[in-house]
């Protein structure tokens, strides 16, 4: 009898909670986009968030939306530029709640009306004063009513110069549009984009000249617009000179590859163009660097600096570092390029007049095979350092007065088998974001929080293996982005791993873009990134979103191996439900530790 009564009570409780779940007042939380947000897509948008209780029926613009077991949802919609409004409605029993969402689209992503004739000043180039030299191309662009004839005028230089209307091309916006239960709709690209290119020669003159655009269409008055940019042509025999206030070591902008430029502070360097607050240093064919004007001082004299001479050079090996010293007559611009196959470091010197003697490398050197000098041109010389075993472990390049110093890490001293190769290594783990939240998932899960939890799991396993581990942040304390790699540099890290969870830009199809991705920039980090990526794919069983070369703050450092991982997409409900579970987090942590062991096992001797 007691058993029967207990069963009846339990069934009653279950039915009570079921009834409350089925008929509770529904709640809608739209995580992205927020009401009145700008959306940078003209054809499609994804909307995600959550509805409670998960048993509710849910619609957006009268389209039924699937709710995941935790109440999350993600849906892609066509954008109607004339009425970018989305009405959400959730129902449980007799209770219904509605939420209204309006998005905004930037004008430059929409086709301007054909009539009346008009310009759209949100899309115009140049927007700022520009300075060029003979031999440069002046590129202009403006947006206006489609189907018109467009012309460019620059007083004393150009008159009635025709501009070309670019064909509409919806692939301008990355991604594919999917419109739920509706058939795919071909979205039109932006029309009315007019562009032109003009070659400046030695006879052309311009000093802060206004740039005027004109539109003409039969049956309409000619429309004229003076752009915000102006043109100056520098016709001086030698390029203007500028002195950098502080040294800069960074990837360049126009050179395709992973090269890093070291531009010394206090040294005059020629610049050949200016656009707004940026100036261009033209180094050689196909290579140019744009730098902010507030980082330099323009010099009144255009007299070129004296050529550079190498007075002496030598190699010093101590404290697991091989340091090359080049004593120069003055500092000059240097490019360093790490090559993967064959493994090498290549230094390129600008304005270098002489070749220094080749540095002899001892046969038993732990890292370096040989060095050679090559003359590229009268002003450009190349110093090549060939490496043993195909792996670079990190380097630093800096000026110490007139001495250029390249410091290269030796391979780490790994313990013998069967001890874990991670014992004694210094590994920095970076839980991405904070104080910013990072991406936010449909349920409200914040990326910054889960990044820290996963890194703590990785730290625990690494510490058990005997590795020294530093987290760039702990608990609720935040840290700025630039400081994170500096911390890894301060502790002389062997490896830096930055933990993130992924999201997508507007207009990209989340149903076709999900899963695991891994990122690196420096060539010597590629092999480790590849192994981490493969291990994550094997363990997590999510789609392969790719292994990418990207110049991020946490992948650019040259001092150590640096990899950024995005194990899953936090904005995708199916993947977001996995991320906070201990089982999934443990899989991520173990996969990364296994990858580190695999990588370092392959580099140590039996």
């Amino acid at each position: 009898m007691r058993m029967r009564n207990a069963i009846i009570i339990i069934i009653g409780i279950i039915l009570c909670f079921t009834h409350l779940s089925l008929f509770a007042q529904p709640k809608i939380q739209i995580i992205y986009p927020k009401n009145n947000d700008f959306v940078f897509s003209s054809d499609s948008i994804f909307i995600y968030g959550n509805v409670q209780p998960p048993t509710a029926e849910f619609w957006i613009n009268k389209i039924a939306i699937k709710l995941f077991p935790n109440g999350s949802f993600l849906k892609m919609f066509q954008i109607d530029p004339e009425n970018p409004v989305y009405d959400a409605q959730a129902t449980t029993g007799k209770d219904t709640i509605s939420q209204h969402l309006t998005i905004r689209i930037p004008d430059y992503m929409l086709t301007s009306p054909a009539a009346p004739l008009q310009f759209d000043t949100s899309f115009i180039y140049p927007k700022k004063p520009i300075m060029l030299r003979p031999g440069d191309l002046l590129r202009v662009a403006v947006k206006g009513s489609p189907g018109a004839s467009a012309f460019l005028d620059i007083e004393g230089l150009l008159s009635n110069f025709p501009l070309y209307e670019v064909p509409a091309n919806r692939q301008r916006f990355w991604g594919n549009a999917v419109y739920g239960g509706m058939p795919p709709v071909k979205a039109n690209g932006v029309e009315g984009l007019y562009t032109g290119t003009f070659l400046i020669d030695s006879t052309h003159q311009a000093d802060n000249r206004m740039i005027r655009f004109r539109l003409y269409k039969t049956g309409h008055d000619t429309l004229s617009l003076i752009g915000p940019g102006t043109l100056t042509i520098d016709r001086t025999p030698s390029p203007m000179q500028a002195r950098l206030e502080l040294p800069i070591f960074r990837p360049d902008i126009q050179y395709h590859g992973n090269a890093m430029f070291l531009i010394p502070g206090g040294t005059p360097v020629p610049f050949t163009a200016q656009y707004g607050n940026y100036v261009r240093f033209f180094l050689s064919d196909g290579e140019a660097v744009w730098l902010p004007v507030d980082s330099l001082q323009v010099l009144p004299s255009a007299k070129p600096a004296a050529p550079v001479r190498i007075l002496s050079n030598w190699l010093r090996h101590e404290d697991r570092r091989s340091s090359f010293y080049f004593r120069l007559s003055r500092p000059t611009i240097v490019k360093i390029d790490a090559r993967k196959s064959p493994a090498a470091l290549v230094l390129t010197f600008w304005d270098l007049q002489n070749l220094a003697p080749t540095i002899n490398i001892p046969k038993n050197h732990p890292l370096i095979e040989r060095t050679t000098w090559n003359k590229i041109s009268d002003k450009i010389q190349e110093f090549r350092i060939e490496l043993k075993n195909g792996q670079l472990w990190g380097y630093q390049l800096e000026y110490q007065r007139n001495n250029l110093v390249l410091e290269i890490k030796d391979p780490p001293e790994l313990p013998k088998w069967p001890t874990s190769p991670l014992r004694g290594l210094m590994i920095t783990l970076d839980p991405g974001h904070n104080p910013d939240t990072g991406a936010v998932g449909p349920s409200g899960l914040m990326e910054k929080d889960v990044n820290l939890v996963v890194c703590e799991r990785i730290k625990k396993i690494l510490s058990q293996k005997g590795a020294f581990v530093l987290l760039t942040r702990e608990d609720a304390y935040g840290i700025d982005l630039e400081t994170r790699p500096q911390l890894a540099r301060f502790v002389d890290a062997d490896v830096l791993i930055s933990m993130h969870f992924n999201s997508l830009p507007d207009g990209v199809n989340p149903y076709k873009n999900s899963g695991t991705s891994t990122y690196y920039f420096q060539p010597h980090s590629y092999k480790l990134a590849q192994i981490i990526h493969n291990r994550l794919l094997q363990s997590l069983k999510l789609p392969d979103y790719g292994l990418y070369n990207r110049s991020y703050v946490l992948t650019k450092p040259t001092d150590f191996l640096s990899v950024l991982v995005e194990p899953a997409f936090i904005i995708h409900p199916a993947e977001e439900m996995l991320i906070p579970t201990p089982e999934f987090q443990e899989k991520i942590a173990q996969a990364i530790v296994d990858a580190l062991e695999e990588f370092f096992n392959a580099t140590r001797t039996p």
Side-chain angles (χ1 to χ4, degrees), residues 62-364:
K62 299 182 179 180
I63 298 174
I65 309 296
K66 170 190 172 183
L67 295 180
F68 283 76
N70 64 347
S72 294
F73 67 88
L74 169 68
K75 192 67 175 178
M76 201 109 180
F77 291 89
Q78 179 182 1
I79 291 177
D80 179 0
E82 301 298 323
N83 187 34
V85 176
Y86 301 87
D87 290 309
Q89 187 178 76
T91 298
T92 55
K94 295 181 180 180
D95 291 322
T96 298
I97 189 170
S98 299
Q99 189 167 331
H100 181 83
L101 173 68
T102 300
I103 62 170
R104 294 185 289 169
I105 305 167
D107 289 341
Y108 68 83
M109 303 190 79
L110 299 173
T111 298
S112 300
L117 209 58
Q118 59 190 266
F119 283 106
D120 176 5
T121 56
S122 68
F123 186 95
I124 189 170
Y125 181 85
K127 280 183 175 289
K128 301 173 182 179
I130 187 170
M131 184 196 76
L132 299 173
R133 286 181 60 82
D136 283 332
L137 291 174
L138 170 64
R139 294 182 172 90
V140 298
V142 70
K143 179 173 175 285
S145 298
S149 297
F151 302 93
L152 173 71
D153 299 324
I154 300 177
E155 184 183 356
L157 183 65
L158 293 174
S159 179
N160 292 323
F161 185 80
L163 302 181
Y164 168 68
E165 184 174 3
V166 179
N169 179 8
R170 71 178 297 270
Q171 292 304 319
R172 181 176 292 107
F173 310 113
W174 186 76
N176 298 313
V178 170
Y179 308 118
M182 296 181 291
V185 177
K186 181 176 176 61
N188 294 322
V190 178
E191 300 177 21
L193 300 180
Y194 301 92
T195 66
T197 304
F198 176 73
L199 176 63
I200 296 172
D201 65 32
S202 58
T203 66
H204 295 140
Q205 301 183 46
D207 184 11
N208 204 33
R209 296 289 174 83
M210 292 186 303
I211 298 174
R212 184 190 302 271
F213 299 92
R214 288 186 292 113
L215 279 182
Y216 171 76
K217 185 185 287 188
T218 304
H220 298 263
D221 293 333
T222 298
L223 188 65
S224 179
L225 171 69
I226 296 176
T230 58
L231 174 65
T232 296
I233 299 175
D234 177 19
R235 301 175 69 237
T236 56
S238 299
M240 297 179 68
Q241 301 280 318
R243 179 184 289 118
L244 290 174
E245 301 291 350
L246 295 171
I248 293 178
F249 185 49
R250 49 164 287 176
D252 62 294
I253 293 175
Q254 292 190 351
Y255 179 81
H256 298 291
N258 300 85
M260 304 284 287
F261 276 102
L262 176 58
I263 305 177
T267 300
V269 287
F271 68 91
T272 58
Q274 181 171 355
Y275 178 63
N277 294 324
Y278 283 82
V279 294
R280 181 187 68 190
F281 295 95
F282 185 73
L283 303 175
S284 63
D285 291 341
E287 294 185 323
V289 179
W290 288 85
L291 297 174
V293 71
D294 59 7
S295 67
L296 50 86
Q297 175 190 2
V298 177
L299 301 177
S301 172
K303 182 180 178 180
V308 179
R309 293 184 58 83
I310 293 185
L311 306 178
S312 60
N313 60 340
W314 65 95
L315 172 64
R316 178 181 297 168
H317 185 261
E318 58 186 5
D319 297 329
R320 295 185 54 239
R321 299 287 195 276
S322 296
S323 299
F324 287 90
Y325 290 82
F326 303 88
R327 190 159 68 91
L328 307 178
S329 57
R330 68 168 175 84
T332 188
I333 299 173
V334 178
K335 181 182 76 175
I336 186 165
D337 195 358
R339 309 281 173 85
K340 282 192 294 189
S341 183
L345 274 174
V346 179
L347 284 171
T348 304
F349 293 79
W350 267 263
D351 287 332
L352 185 59
Q353 194 175 56
N354 67 314
L355 292 178
T358 300
I359 298 175
N360 294 320
I361 307 299
K363 289 185 178 181
N364 62 347

Side-chain angles (χ1 to χ4, degrees), residues 433 439 447 450-451 454 499-503 565-570 579 584 588:
H433 302 287
E447 184 190 356
V450 72
N451 288 342
V454 174
M499 177 62 57
H500 292 259
F501 287 89
N502 222 337
S503 60
V565 296
E566 307 252 19
F569 271 78
I570 198 170
I579 291 171
F584 190 75
I588 296 171

